[in-house]
Amino acid sequence: MSECLFCKIIAGEIPSDKIYEDEQVLVFNDINPKADVHLLMVPKKHIVSLNEVGTEDDPLMAHMLRLLPEIAKNQGLKDGFRTIINTGQGGGQIIFHLHIHLLGGSKLPGFD
Ligand code: 5GP
Ligand code: ZN
């Protein structure tokens, strides 16, 4: 069994507030939202961070990026949204399974 928290969420071993799912990705609400809307998009494939993305992941990465506007729109974010990918300890990454933060709404945080 994987020790990775997001792999456990993907496997359904830990519950999540699921927003969207397909064969490649899962999107769920962040447990500690920093904005009105704060979702996490994770690939079902365990990739540690952007540092570990390979050329074989190009279709997956394109899929995730192209999905973001659609999901933002479905969340009512008509005026736009912010995406953040923390990479490595120096980038503030806490969960070492690649994820894209999707944030939006009136309480959108800054970068600090
Ligand atoms: P990072 O700093 O690694 O980019 O962000 C990890 C994010 O995962 C944080 O925003 C944190 O609130 C979120 N998170 C941590 N544990 C859980 C959990 O068990 N469930 C959900 N839904 N989000 C989590
Ligand atoms: Zn994982």
Side-chain angles (χ1 to χ4, degrees):
M1 196 194 290
S2 173
E3 288 308 305
C4 168
L5 176 68
F6 287 174
C7 281
K8 286 181 176 167
I9 286 177
I10 290 160
E13 292 162 17
I14 292 176
S16 70
D17 194 359
K18 196 193 299 182
I19 299 290
Y20 172 88
E21 181 173 20
D22 65 26
E23 63 286 346
Q24 295 183 86
V25 306
L26 181 67
V27 181
F28 50 93
N29 279 313
D30 195 293
I31 206 166
N32 181 22
K34 301 286 198 305
D36 292 339
V37 174
H38 186 177
L39 311 179
L40 300 173
M41 176 183 285
V42 303
K44 289 189 172 176
K45 176 183 177 184
H46 180 84
I47 300 172
V48 171
S49 80
L50 274 187
N51 284 326
E52 284 75 23
V53 171
T55 53
E56 69 277 14
D57 301 312
D58 285 356
L60 170 63
M61 298 304 289
H63 178 63
M64 291 202 295
L65 289 180
R66 286 174 54 80
L67 257 179
L68 288 162
E70 192 185 313
I71 287 169
K73 251 178 251 149
N74 288 342
Q75 291 291 305
L77 301 175
K78 309 278 183 232
D79 297 333
F81 59 93
R82 175 167 296 154
T83 44
I84 297 172
I85 305 176
N86 296 323
T87 302
Q89 213 181 348
Q93 187 174 6
I94 290 166
I95 308 290
F96 286 87
H97 179 131
L98 178 65
H99 52 281
I100 303 176
H101 296 257
L102 191 165
L103 302 120
S106 58
K107 292 183 298 193
L108 200 58
F111 290 111
D112 49 352

